[in-house]
Amino acid sequence: MNNSNSPMSTHAPSAAGSHLGQSEASFTDSDHDDAVRDGCGVFGVHAPGHDVPRITFFGLFALQHRGQESAGIAVTDGQQFGLVRDMGLVSQVFDEDALTSLHGSIAIGHTRYSTTGSSLVCNAQPLIVETRFGPMGLAHNGNLVNTTTLRQELEAFGVQFQTTTDSEVIAQLIAYEAKTQPSLIDAVKAAMGRMKGAYSIVLLTHDTLYGFRDPWGIRPLCLGRLNSKHHVLASEPCALDVVGATFLQEIGAGELVEITDDGCKFHMLAEEARPSMCMFEFIYIARPDSHIYGRSLHLSRRRMGQELAREHPAEADIVIAVPDTGTPAAIGYAEASKIPYGEGLIKNRYIHRTFIQPDQRLRELGVRMKLNPLREALSGKSVIVVEDSIVRGTTTRNIVKMLREAGATQVHLRISSPPYRWPCFYGIDTCEQNQLLAAREKDVAAICEHIGADSLGYLSVEGLVRAVSLPKNIFCLACLTGEYPIEIPAELKVSKFSLEDLSEEEQLALCMPTNS
Ligand code: SF4
């Protein structure tokens, strides 16, 4: 729902919306960064008597790494709903005026990186829809794979959509099911029976905060306690720490938590939960100071580096990281290899999304806007550089070139994850398969040549699983193995695979002629 047509009280904040909201083709640091891009972060708080919009602001601030395109907060005082959302970082969308315009006892918030629907202000979240039980706010992390089918079905029933997101499809589906179900929880359960894909969701009604996860549990969602009697939901525990809440538990795959003045109630809504947590949350996405399934992300990444050192040793003078995400694995590599760890690349700490277009000369400098080599540490040295993943390979190639120009005599590249060969359909934005370097160049030696490194080693799937020390079968590893835990419909698959990569059956499903 757009601010301008919302029946709820809203606030159009600062300059951020007025000019940033117009730009669909904005330049970001991601334009010269071929990393896996995060999906979204969600946050919710039920705390009567507390400044819940401010708590949500700081919760979203801690989840900024999960999405930098837009941010929003919806709040209710039990009667009215308030909503502020706009394009930009949390700190750009919310100023003191925006926060003080919101009042209530329950709030939800969202930071977004678009995976379905364009990067437009109308697609920012939370969104608010009317249901038989009253207004309902919703914020979603993840991506449905059957959005098109569900949307067409709902449109056939007369539902009109305001946005192009799968999140609105979810909200409208719950609202549609609410027409015939005895409670909102039953409506969510009925909707869950029809939705396929990844969704960790916080829901807001006039008196209740809900949080629930898809039956595969692909994206994280956790519950915390605030001031001994209130509750907080967040994509990651790091957001609980920031607002002074203590971690209670993760919401299980297919589970819903209902939070009211009387406390929390848990409901298992999925008949068959099949946990398939995104392994990239462990490798890269979640903050290192978070923990998932009881595992510290920082320690898991350090162990990935240790496994990597055992699988792919190299002789060198120094181990450096591609900061920040490669840092824990580089420390682990140094620990296991007994080669000293040091800083070799300095990250511009203050870089974030900018909507200012660089000129051609600055574009050519590319990665240097974000990373600059430390010549004193690199000159005359043989260097092991540890990165968490390679997607397209353009940034990695530039980094290797930059290290050589700074005087490194040898550059040995080590990647703390297996080759990224298949696109993600579950809420992480990656390019088409033919743009993935490891899909184009199947041979590691060919990838190494393309990157320009002296040697290249990827962590194996087995080494990765050992590092997180959890059973392999509770993870989604689809982008590393091609085994998708939730079937991808042919009409979606064709958006990221070339037609000839689809099976004959899938091609037929698209009503296209097959090669045979
Ligand atoms: Fe995560 Fe990869 Fe699975 Fe996507 S395909 S959910 S990025 S493990």
Side-chain angles (χ1 to χ4, degrees), residues 280 283 308 387-390 415-419 458-460 464 480:
F280 257 83
I283 296 168
L308 188 58
E387 171 67 299
D388 56 79
S389 55
I390 304 177
I415 308 297
S416 61
S417 64
Y458 284 95
L459 183 61
S460 66
L464 179 60
L480 311 173

Side-chain angles (χ1 to χ4, degrees), residues 36 218-219 277-281 285 420 422-426 428 476-480 484:
V36 173
I218 290 180
R219 300 280 150 232
M277 162 61 76
C278 169
M279 183 59 101
F280 257 83
E281 295 280 353
I285 298 166
Y420 196 105
W422 284 271
C424 177
F425 295 91
Y426 308 139
I428 299 302
C476 172
L477 296 159
C479 51
L480 311 173
Y484 290 91

